[in-house]
Structure formats: structure tokens, C-alpha cells
Amino acid sequence: MTQTKPNSHEGCIVLPGALRQQPFDSSEEKPQFPGASAEFIDHLEFIQPNVISGIPVYRVMDRAGQIINPSEDPQLSKETVVNFYQKMTLLNTMDRILYESQRQGRISFYMTNYGEEGTHIGSAAALDSKDLVFGQYREAGVLMYRGFPLDLFMAQCYANADDLGKGRQMPVHYGSKDLNFITISSPLATQIPQAAGAAYAAKRENTNRAVICYFGEGAASEGDAHAGFNFSATLECPLIFFCRNNGYAISTPTNEQYRGDGIAARGPGYGMLSIRVDGNDVFAVYNATKEARRRAVAENQPFLIEAMTYRIGHHSTSDDSSAYRSVDEVNYWDKQDHPISRLRHYMTARSWWSEDNERSWRKQSRKTVMEAFEKAEKRHKPHLDLMFTDVYDEMTPNLIRQRESMWRHIQQYKDHYPLDAYAK
Amino acid sequence: MAASARLLFRGAGLKAYTANVNSGAQSSFGTTLLRLSPNCSSQTKTQIKHASHFTYHPDPVPTMYGPTTKMNLFQSVTSALDNTLASDPTAVIFGEDVAFGGVFRCTVGLRDKYGKDRVFNTPLCEQGIVGFGIGAAAAGATAIAEIQFADYIYPAFDQIVNEAAKYRYRSGNLFDCGNLTIRAPWGCVGHGSLYHSQSPEAFFAHCPGIKIVIPRGPVQCKGLLLSCIEDHNPCIFFEPKILYRAAVEQVPTEAYTIPLSQAEVLQEGSDVTLVAWGTQIHVLREVVSMAQEKLGVSCELIDLQTILPWDTETVCKSVAKTGRLLISHEAPVTGGFAAEISSTVQTPVHTLNQTDSNLSTMAKTRELCKDIRDKIVDQHKAGMGYRTIGQQLGEKATTVGAIIRKWKKFKKTVNLPQSGAPCKFSPRGASVIMRKVRGQPRTTRLDLVNDLKRAGTTVSKN
């Protein structure tokens, strides 16, 4: 096909970046528009958005933990499945203790992950350890699965001298370079286009590295989400978008967040392969993420996974969800469709986990969490110089002056400042 | 026909992307209509070419960076990007329309030379462009993002201010997006109106963690852009669009850097300091010669170049010398960057007093700050002579002597009037006293003190 000037009416043209060559031929009845590949239709018909029976929810286990379709059972080893269970319950224990500690005024703020442990562990287990993770704020289980120590979770929440983040952010804004987990930031959905950029860079590096980007169904309303989806599809990035649709964005229920069929239905609009899964079924999450990861890297295209789940806890320690939802609703999910219980049923059916295991594991996990907690409380806060470093790679003259000014001020008024709490 | 074509050309907006439109089938119909209409003359009323508001003053040919070639501003950008793509295999350039060469031709030829995975179009979404750039930079690539006009950078404000600027700080230096550079055409162009002419540097100057750089010409542009790309902090590089074609200089073909955060004194002077950046430098160059010629005023001209972090030392040192400061920028005056500069220059920061600058809140006679007075006394106690002390601290020996004598007499280094010392009444103060006492013989001391205070002299009641 020869390349001709743009303003001729016949001949072929290679559209820059296009995946197909489209011959412009007026003699054919097919539409010639560059913007869409479609047939003509001669009667007026609006496409009905299908929200009554939306995209189906993929699951492997039923609510009682029984495998429905044996060919979908990932058949993971006992060791792997027990590890899933232990990580989910350890997360749950840590959540309970840290939530309480906020109520007692020991830490300033906390967000629990109750009910969503399955989404974290299932997806984290399906990734390679070197895959880059961009999270929102309710993905602590991913970090825990990868081996982030309890000490460092606590250190960040207490903002003490051990915090990798140097005590600069609110609690639950974790990050770990070693574990390839990008530090959490408070603004929502900002990580979505960033994940697309990181995936593009990973593609160019050609080292079989994928990127996963977590966000909630509320954050998916942000402009940044639209930007991220569109960029990743047009620029062909090896990226998994993982949406935790947990029913609420603080107090806003999903019927006030969107009118379409959730987030999964938006994927095809961007030209993205999409799936909706049962987020409380750790195997469904695992299977979907594993396959998405494999294909994202092999085919250099993004995948959208919408994991349906339920936020059992409050949005955060600053929220009391009884103001906008009933206790019965919460209890249903806590008692009858919980990722931890379902996995437990799966394990007990195979005699992989007994009451004794449960009792001793609960005791042990509570003990390790409490030990880390007590240790973190006693640690110093970070050195005061760290207020001024890392704004730029090197301190500017202004910052150096301001730091000196601060020290002079503190020396003069040392009685007014709790200097003993800070590292020397 | 040619005249009408020129008219259409100008009216259609920026020349860079009207070229193809006029060669199409439709426009010949339009020009024919215009020509044949009895109400349209072939001569328009405004055949005057749009005059520029400044004359471009090229930099001298640089000699220390190797061979040079003639380039205009957009070509100097292309050259910098070319050098970068050649030397850094992770470097990628992206934004709206960069693939075919860009609406200002800054990326012409780069896609063919380096490949479509390295120079590519993005969808039309500034928040996406910058967000994508941040992610790519954080993942280790050198990301050079183009925003088509600085006027359209605002959708990316959240990504720039809340994310890029804070990436390193908030992660405790685990992650950063220092590999990110954002480029955007900036400033007035004559016909750009509200949305193709803005200078948004002041919005971003309020944001620690990013750098903002604005060049005045091609040589500066290439060197500063390469510095931004190399710099380990996210940088915004604003390119004065009116200079893209108008500014032509001999520019080195090899890569070179010009340091950031260093203002350049373009012309030395003694009466007033002028500060500007970008296009306005060339306006002020003309001001400098007019001031000299018409007013006999000697101006010192400084190109700030880096808006954030800006070179306070050079500016303050210059103002300490001249005593006067004039800043000129295109952006609106309220909250514009001139406000930051003038505020800093006028603030009596005591650390400034520890440098060689003599800025002080005391007007009239040059008072030495307390630290220097104390130093004088300390050195005297250590046995140094007046002249030696004076040489050390840059003061006259007589001043040193006066301070030491005062210290010997009053045991203090502060310069407050002491009782017993003769109190200097100004002539106005004296006439106030005389008038008061003549008119009212029963004037009290307190009355006199208050009257004198109003006249500008403070005395104690004694």
C-alpha cells in the first residue's frame, strides 16, 4: 500500500499509530469515518445500558467455601492456602488493634480493611514480587502478603524514627521500595495515570514486569481514572486495573456514584478487556489476576478487574457508618459472606485447618501484633532535621536557613517543645 | 490572490498548523469568493504587519561548548531533546501532537530518528499526560512531557502540586519523580488572547518540590532544558512562544548545561536593579538603553532564569548596591512572582545581615546591626586594633572607634540615645518647642515630649 497525501479521495493511507489500514473508497456503502469501524443502520435506536443484568460475577467458591466448578479450582498447595488464611487473619488482627489504638489516642488515624482481605491476598499472590503496585489506601494486605514486617506497619502509623517514610504522612500511607509498593498518597485516583506511565516504562525495559493499580469504585469517578484507562489502552501498557467495589465511598453508596453497570462496564468503552469477580472469593480473585497478569505482559494491553466486595468497617476512624447504613446490612456481610470464613470452610473441608490451629494461630498473631505495637510506641519520633530534607534532592539555601532558624527558635524556647520525644 | 492568501493565513491563527489547511480544495473557493465580491477590496485597512513589542537581543556566540550552528528557539529545543534521546536510552517524549513534530515544531524529526515507542502522542488529557509522566519517571524512565500551551496546564495542577512535588518527601526518599520534565509554550505572542498567552509561573512558585525555569533565548533554552532534564527533581520548563521563531542565535550542537537557580547579571549598573525573565528581558534591554540615554540612569539588568528555587543572593546583592528594584513580568501583578521577589528583598531577615549585604530596617545613616557591633567589641577585647577590625569586617576604622568608645562609656553596644548624651533636635523640633512655649507658658514637659514625637524626634522626659 502506498502512502498518499491526506487530501486525496482514493488510495490507501496508513494512519499513524492505527492497528489497521483503511482504504478510503466512496463506492462502498460501509462508513469511511476514521473514528469508528462499524456498519450503517437505518433505523433510530438508542443503545440501552444494561444495568438490570450487568456483567456477571466470576466466582470459584460458593458462600460456604465449596468449589462450584472443579476445573476452576486453582489447586494451590496446602502451604499456599494456609499462608493466604494466615495473612488475611493477621491483617484482621492488626486492624483491630490499631483501630483500638486510635480510639485510645495512641495514633492519630486508622483505616481498617475488614471484609476486603480477599481482594488483597488473592491479587497479591497472583503477581510476581517485582511487579510494581500502585495502591489507594485500603490495600495493606498486599503489602503484608509481600512480607512487610509488622514493625514497619506500626512505625508508619506511629510516625516514629523507624518509619521508612520518615514520619511525614498520616497513618496507613505505607510504602516500600524493596517490596515494589509505591508510597500511598491521600489524593484519590492520582495513582491511576501514574500506573499507566510506570507500565509503559516497564514495557520498554522488557523485563517481564507488570504493574497493578488498585482503586475503589468512588475513585473511579475521578478524571484521573478516565485518563489512566484511556492512556493505558492507547499506549498498550502491561497493566492490571484492580477496582475494589465495596459499595461505599465514605457515605456515598454506589447508586449515587454511578448509573452505569459498575466499573467493569467501562472497560470496553476504552477498548480494554474486563472482568467482574467475587472479591470475597480469594480463588476467584487469584485466578482472574493471574490470567490478567500473564496476558497483560504477553500482549502489552491493560486489563480491568472489578472485584465486588463489601466494606464491613467504617471508612476510617473519623467515620461512624451507622449514620448511613444499617447494622443488619453490615452483619450480613460479616457473618454470611466473609472472605476469611469462606476460605476457612474450604480448608476445614480438606482437614487443612482445625480448631486447635485456629486457637493457637489467633493467640500467636495477637501476640506478635502486640509486641510490635508496644515496641513502636516506645520508639522516638524522627529527627527534626527530617522536616527539611527530601523536598528537593538537595537542600536549597532557603531550606537550610529555615532549618537553622527552627533550631535557634527551639533552643531559645526548649521548655515549650517535647524534645525528648524526638531522635537526637 | 497572494494578498488574500496572506490574510487568510494570518486570520487562521498560528502559522505552524495553517499551512496544510490553505492548500486544500476548500480554501481556494473561499479566496475566490473574497476576490470576486464587490465589497471586498484586495487591500485591507490593516496591511501593517503586526509589530512586535520588543526587539530580540541575541546572546553572544558561546565558545566553551564546542561548535555552534544557527538555531531559533524551537530548534534549540529540538536539539536538546535530540541530544537527550541519543544519550539516554530510557528517555521518552510524549504529549499532544508531538509525533508529527508538535504544533510549534519542537519535536520535528525525533520520532523518525528514535522510534515510535520513544516519541509518541497521548490522548488529549493534561492530567493524564503529567500523571503518566510521573509514573514513568518513578519507574526509572527519563520522562519529558509536553503540555501544548501553558494555559492548559491547570488540569494537571493536582498531579504537579500534590504528587510530583511531594513524591520524594512523602515517601521518605523511597521514591521520587526527579526524572520528570514538563515543557510548555508560555507567554504572550500578540494574537493569543486569554488562552494562548498565559504565564502561570506564580501558581507553581508556591509549591516547594518542583523547579520552574524560563529561558530568554536559544542558547539559554538548550542549556537550561538539558539541566532540567538532568536535574533530579521534577521541573517545569516554560518556553516563550513568541521567541520560537523570532529568537535566533548560534547554539552549540553538542549537549551542555547552564546551572539552575543562578540568576544572570546581563548588564551591570549602579542606580537601579531590573529583574525579569523570558521575553521581558528583551523589553528591559531596551529600557536600559533608554534610561541611560534619556534619564542618565544606570540600570543593572538581571535575568532570573530559574523562578523556583530562585537566586535570592544575586538579586539582593544587586539591590544592596543600587538601592532600587524594578521587576517586570507579563502575568497579573497581584500575587505575581514580582510580589515574592520584592517581599524577600525588603524583609529584614537577620540571616541576610550576616552576609555581605547591608540590608537593614534603619534608614538614613547606615546603622550596623547588633551582631557586627558585638563582633567589633569582641575583637577589641581580644586585642585587635581599630584599623584591623575595620578591615576584617569591612567597616571604617572611625566607625569601629565610635562603637568601641560608646561601649567603653555605656557598657552597651546598642545604639539607643543615652541620658547625658546631647540630644539632637531637628530645626523643626526646636521651632515646635519655641512655638508651644511662647503660646502657652504653662506647657509641661510631657506635652513637649509628645509634640516633639509628632515632629519626629524622640526624647526622654528628662
Side-chain angles (χ1 to χ4, degrees):
Chain A
M1 301 288 190
T2 54
Q3 199 162 348
T4 55
K5 288 207 207 86
N7 54 359
S8 69
H9 293 294
E10 282 191 321
C12 303
I13 180 164
V14 178
L15 297 165
L19 301 169
R20 60 184 187 277
Q21 289 179 349
Q22 182 177 322
F24 284 110
D25 188 349
S26 301
S27 65
E28 272 211 39
E29 273 306 307
K30 202 172 147 56
Q32 298 296 302
F33 305 112
S37 171
E39 297 292 337
F40 280 117
I41 188 173
D42 58 18
H43 57 274
L44 181 64
E45 188 184 303
F46 287 101
I47 298 170
Q48 183 87 297
N50 194 353
V51 282
I52 306 300
S53 103
I55 295 172
V57 183
Y58 168 70
R59 66 173 180 173
V60 172
M61 291 188 279
D62 64 14
R63 292 189 189 97
Q66 314 273 6
I67 300 287
I68 299 166
N69 180 353
S71 64
E72 295 293 313
D73 183 345
Q75 294 180 338
L76 300 169
S77 69
K78 174 181 170 185
E79 203 184 324
T80 305
V81 175
V82 167
N83 183 37
F84 283 10
Y85 183 77
Q86 288 181 329
K87 288 287 176 336
M88 289 201 283
T89 48
L90 184 63
L91 176 63
N92 193 280
T93 305
M94 183 179 84
D95 276 352
R96 284 175 204 279
I97 288 168
L98 284 174
Y99 184 91
E100 262 317 298
S101 79
Q102 192 278 342
R103 284 285 177 259
Q104 294 171 11
R106 297 169 194 264
I107 62 176
S108 62
F109 176 83
Y110 193 70
M111 297 176 103
T112 57
N113 304 276
Y114 303 147
E116 298 184 50
E117 297 89 346
T119 60
H120 304 179
I121 303 306
S123 55
L127 300 167
D128 274 12
S129 58
K130 66 178 198 297
D131 291 339
L132 200 49
V133 174
F134 285 81
Q136 181 169 300
Y137 52 57
R138 220 182 288 280
E139 293 89 15
V142 175
L143 208 42
M144 188 169 270
Y145 183 86
R146 284 191 165 184
F148 199 58
L150 287 169
D151 284 343
L152 292 181
F153 278 111
M154 304 284 172
Q156 200 283 329
C157 288
Y158 274 95
N160 68 29
D162 295 332
D163 178 23
L164 298 178
K166 299 178 185 167
R168 292 160 176 164
Q169 292 213 82
M170 284 169 73
V172 311
H173 289 62
Y174 312 114
S176 167
K177 192 170 176 68
D178 292 340
L179 301 178
N180 298 305
F181 190 97
I182 300 273
T183 303
I184 301 297
S185 72
S186 307
L188 294 183
T190 48
Q191 73 277 14
I192 304 179
Q194 293 173 19
Y200 191 88
K203 177 173 81 166
R204 288 207 70 241
E205 269 175 17
N206 205 13
T207 53
N208 181 24
R209 192 183 202 200
V211 176
I212 190 166
C213 180
Y214 294 90
F215 53 94
E217 86 286 351
S221 296
E222 281 279 359
D224 271 343
H226 161 70
F229 297 157
N230 202 18
F231 275 55
S232 65
T234 54
L235 300 174
E236 298 167 2
C237 305
L239 173 56
I240 304 159
F241 290 113
F242 195 102
C243 176
R244 294 175 294 96
N245 188 331
N246 62 14
Y248 291 91
I250 308 188
S251 70
T252 307
T254 52
N255 68 355
E256 288 172 14
Q257 194 65 249
Y258 52 76
R259 278 304 146 86
D261 176 24
I263 315 307
R266 299 181 196 172
Y270 294 99
M272 248 199 296
L273 283 153
S274 319
I275 190 170
R276 172 174 284 155
V277 306
D278 180 346
N280 291 351
D281 176 348
V282 71
F283 294 138
V285 173
Y286 176 85
N287 284 351
T289 310
K290 195 137 182 95
E291 179 64 2
R293 193 229 175 259
R294 184 188 71 78
R295 289 186 65 182
V297 174
E299 300 164 26
N300 281 322
Q301 62 171 320
F303 281 77
L304 174 59
I305 300 174
E306 183 182 17
M308 309 306 292
T309 177
Y310 187 82
R311 194 197 77 208
I312 290 174
H314 306 301
H315 166 70
S316 72
T317 47
S318 309
D319 177 46
D320 174 12
S321 59
S322 65
Y324 51 83
R325 60 183 184 178
S326 72
V327 173
D328 290 338
E329 180 184 308
V330 178
N331 274 337
Y332 166 79
W333 290 97
D334 197 20
K335 303 275 180 296
Q336 303 202 35
D337 193 345
H338 198 292
I340 292 176
S341 330
R342 284 164 76 174
L343 189 62
R344 173 125 181 243
H345 289 314
Y346 176 90
M347 293 197 302
T348 47
R350 282 157 187 72
S351 307
W352 287 353
W353 193 259
S354 66
E355 268 301 322
D356 284 339
N357 290 132
E358 179 71 19
R359 227 173 299 125
S360 68
W361 170 244
R362 280 212 184 274
K363 196 161 153 212
Q364 186 195 331
S365 53
R366 203 171 301 156
K367 180 164 169 283
T368 44
V369 172
M370 284 310 298
E371 273 169 10
F373 176 82
E374 279 151 17
K375 206 167 95 185
E377 265 213 324
K378 298 194 176 76
R379 293 286 288 126
H380 280 119
K381 299 297 179 213
H383 194 280
L384 289 169
D385 279 349
L386 294 176
M387 286 200 285
F388 298 94
T389 55
D390 302 326
V391 178
Y392 293 95
D393 63 329
E394 279 167 23
M395 281 177 69
T396 56
N398 253 5
L399 286 165
I400 293 171
R401 265 199 293 274
Q402 288 155 16
R403 182 184 60 183
E404 284 161 13
S405 170
M406 178 206 74
W407 280 115
R408 273 198 302 274
H409 172 85
I410 285 187
Q411 286 314 317
Q412 191 171 353
Y413 297 105
K414 55 167 86 82
D415 295 337
H416 295 267
Y417 291 96
L419 292 176
D420 291 336
Y422 290 84
K424 299 283 175 291
Chain B
M1 183 62 171
S4 314
R6 235 190 354 257
L7 175 65
L8 268 175
F9 223 64
R10 259 211 301 280
L14 291 154
K15 285 191 179 180
Y17 46 77
T18 55
N20 291 331
V21 171
N22 285 334
S23 63
Q26 276 302 311
S27 63
S28 61
F29 176 66
T31 52
T32 316
L33 262 187
L34 275 172
R35 193 156 49 89
L36 296 176
S37 163
N39 295 323
C40 283
S41 76
S42 58
Q43 294 284 323
T44 64
K45 288 200 181 96
T46 52
Q47 282 288 53
I48 323 155
K49 255 194 152 142
H50 285 291
S52 207
H53 65 288
F54 67 98
T55 307
Y56 182 74
H57 295 83
D59 271 6
V61 182
T63 49
M64 58 284 210
Y65 305 122
T68 64
T69 188
K70 189 166 92 163
M71 290 187 211
N72 61 27
L73 194 83
F74 74 71
Q75 288 164 337
S76 73
V77 171
T78 317
S79 178
L81 297 176
D82 194 347
N83 292 147
T84 303
L85 290 167
S87 63
D88 179 352
T90 72
V92 286
I93 300 172
F94 50 92
E96 293 149 29
D97 304 297
V98 300
F100 88 103
V103 293
F104 289 110
R105 305 199 209 159
C106 293
T107 49
V108 167
L110 297 178
R111 184 176 169 96
D112 287 340
K113 191 167 172 187
Y114 295 102
K116 59 185 174 63
D117 62 319
R118 299 188 71 188
V119 181
F120 51 92
N121 291 339
T122 62
L124 211 167
C125 178
E126 287 75 16
Q127 68 193 106
I129 290 167
V130 174
F132 179 91
I134 292 170
T142 296
I144 303 166
E146 178 178 301
I147 298 294
Q148 197 155 86
F149 283 86
D151 313 55
Y152 310 139
I153 201 167
Y154 309 112
F157 199 80
D158 186 40
Q159 286 284 352
I160 294 169
V161 167
N162 269 336
E163 297 287 316
K166 297 172 169 63
Y167 228 75
R168 189 190 293 275
Y169 187 81
R170 74 188 187 200
S171 70
N173 202 22
L174 293 178
F175 301 101
D176 69 84
C177 55
N179 293 333
L180 174 66
T181 305
I182 301 167
R183 303 175 30 245
W186 168 102
C188 77
V189 68
H191 55 277
S193 195
L194 289 83
Y195 301 110
H196 298 80
S197 312
Q198 290 180 39
S199 311
E201 66 273 9
F203 293 111
F204 296 100
H206 189 53
C207 178
I210 51 170
K211 297 196 174 183
I212 307 167
V213 179
I214 305 175
R216 66 172 181 273
V219 171
Q220 300 301 308
C221 177
K222 178 170 168 172
L224 290 170
L225 178 54
L226 285 169
S227 288
C228 286
I229 293 170
E230 230 178 67
D231 194 276
H232 296 144
N233 300 287
C235 296
I236 304 180
F237 188 75
F238 287 126
E239 299 162 3
K241 64 178 81 68
I242 200 175
L243 299 182
Y244 272 144
R245 294 178 4 138
V248 181
E249 286 172 352
Q250 285 287 328
V251 181
T253 48
E254 302 293 312
Y256 63 97
T257 54
I258 289 173
L260 302 183
S261 297
Q262 278 187 29
E264 194 179 334
V265 179
L266 296 180
Q267 261 188 261
E268 292 201 4
S270 54
D271 296 331
V272 57
T273 302
L274 307 184
V275 175
W277 48 89
T279 318
Q280 202 66 359
I281 286 288
H282 304 285
V283 176
L284 289 193
R285 275 210 191 269
E286 204 181 326
V287 167
V288 168
S289 38
M290 280 174 75
Q292 183 63 70
E293 200 186 300
K294 305 215 159 116
L295 306 171
V297 165
S298 153
C299 302
E300 181 147 293
L301 177 59
I302 299 180
D303 181 2
L304 198 61
Q305 291 185 336
T306 301
I307 306 300
L308 184 75
W310 67 283
D311 185 356
T312 54
E313 200 181 313
T314 301
V315 175
C316 288
K317 199 161 145 190
S318 171
V319 180
K321 180 172 83 171
T322 62
R324 298 174 188 82
L325 175 61
L326 182 147
I327 310 153
S328 183
H329 61 59
E330 290 174 20
V333 66
T334 304
F337 199 64
E340 158 69 18
I341 299 173
S342 63
S343 159
T344 300
V345 162
Q346 291 177 86
T347 306
V349 179
H350 53 81
T351 48
L352 278 173
N353 281 337
Q354 283 167 7
T355 67
D356 292 330
S357 82
N358 289 315
L359 286 171
S360 160
T361 43
M362 312 275 189
K364 292 190 192 170
T365 54
R366 197 168 63 85
E367 284 261 348
L368 294 180
C369 71
K370 189 172 189 318
D371 291 352
I372 301 185
R373 294 167 159 270
D374 288 339
K375 257 189 236 165
I376 290 173
V377 169
D378 290 337
Q379 289 185 347
H380 170 71
K381 282 195 232 169
M384 253 189 239
Y386 293 179
R387 191 173 296 170
T388 326
I389 300 174
Q391 274 165 358
Q392 281 251 313
L393 296 170
E395 300 302 331
K396 288 211 192 92
T398 45
T399 314
V400 171
I403 289 169
I404 291 171
R405 272 191 297 280
K406 188 167 247 175
W407 171 74
K408 281 189 178 157
K409 187 169 182 195
F410 299 105
K411 300 285 174 262
K412 289 189 211 155
T413 49
V414 287
N415 191 30
L416 299 169
Q418 308 293 326
S419 58
C423 193
K424 295 192 180 81
F425 283 110
S426 61
R428 186 166 170 235
S431 62
V432 165
I433 294 174
M434 293 312 296
R435 202 179 335 119
K436 189 76 185 232
V437 167
R438 251 186 248 124
Q440 243 198 37
R442 303 194 70 169
T443 308
T444 63
R445 255 186 307 196
L446 197 55
D447 289 350
L448 282 176
V449 166
N450 290 336
D451 286 347
L452 279 171
K453 197 184 258 181
R454 258 179 267 125
T457 309
T458 311
V459 296
S460 68
K461 285 200 294 285
N462 313 322

